[in-house]
Amino acid sequence: MTLQMNSALAEGYTSASQMARLITEDWGASNLYCCACQTDTLVSAPTIEPAYDYFCAGCAARYQLKSGKKWIEKRITDGALNKMTEAVESGNTPNLLYLHYHPAPTWTVANLLL
C-alpha cells in the first residue's frame, strides 16, 4: 500500500472538494482491499451508485469512502440521507472507510479507519 496520492489528477480543477474527491477515490481504487475476504483489490462502483464507492469482486462486500483533511472524532458527514436509508433498509449497507489525508502539496494518507 502506498501512502502517496496522485495529485496530477487534480490539474485543471479549482474546487478543493473536487480535487480531493478525484485524488482520494483514485487512491482507494489503487490501494484498498477487501476486509471481508482475501481479495487483494476493490472495484470502483459505477458512478450511478449513490450509497457505495467500491465493491469486492470476490464476496460482493460494499465500501463507501469518506475523506477529509482533518481527523474526525465525533461524526462523519455522509452523502444523501435518503439513499443511505434505502441501502440500510434493503440490507445493502456498505462498510464505511474514513480517509484522513494531508492535502497539497504532499497529498498523502495520514489515517484510514474502517
Side-chain angles (χ1 to χ4, degrees):
M1 177 181 289
T2 178
L3 301 180
Q4 185 66 48
M5 293 186 262
N6 184 2
S7 61
L9 295 171
E11 290 178 10
Y13 287 87
T14 56
S15 166
S17 61
Q18 284 183 329
M19 292 167 55
R21 183 185 55 79
L22 287 168
I23 293 170
T24 58
E25 286 182 2
D26 174 74
W27 179 87
S30 300
N31 290 279
L32 295 175
Y33 56 88
C34 186
C35 297
C37 73
Q38 295 189 8
T39 302
D40 291 338
T41 59
L42 294 179
V43 178
S44 293
T47 54
I48 60 169
E49 293 298 335
Y52 68 98
D53 299 309
Y54 309 96
F55 67 94
C56 175
C59 71
R62 295 177 178 191
Y63 296 85
Q64 183 178 43
L65 179 67
K66 294 297 179 183
S67 60
K69 57 187 174 183
K70 294 182 180 178
W71 182 245
I72 49 91
E73 292 184 11
K74 295 184 180 181
R75 68 178 171 170
I76 296 173
T77 304
D78 196 6
L81 177 62
N82 62 333
K83 294 299 180 184
M84 186 53 74
T85 301
E86 288 174 17
V88 170
E89 290 174 348
S90 67
N92 291 319
T93 308
N95 295 288
L96 180 63
L97 295 160
Y98 181 73
L99 173 65
H100 168 217
Y101 63 88
H102 297 298
T106 61
W107 287 105
T108 55
V109 174
N111 295 289
L112 181 63
L113 175 69
L114 171 64

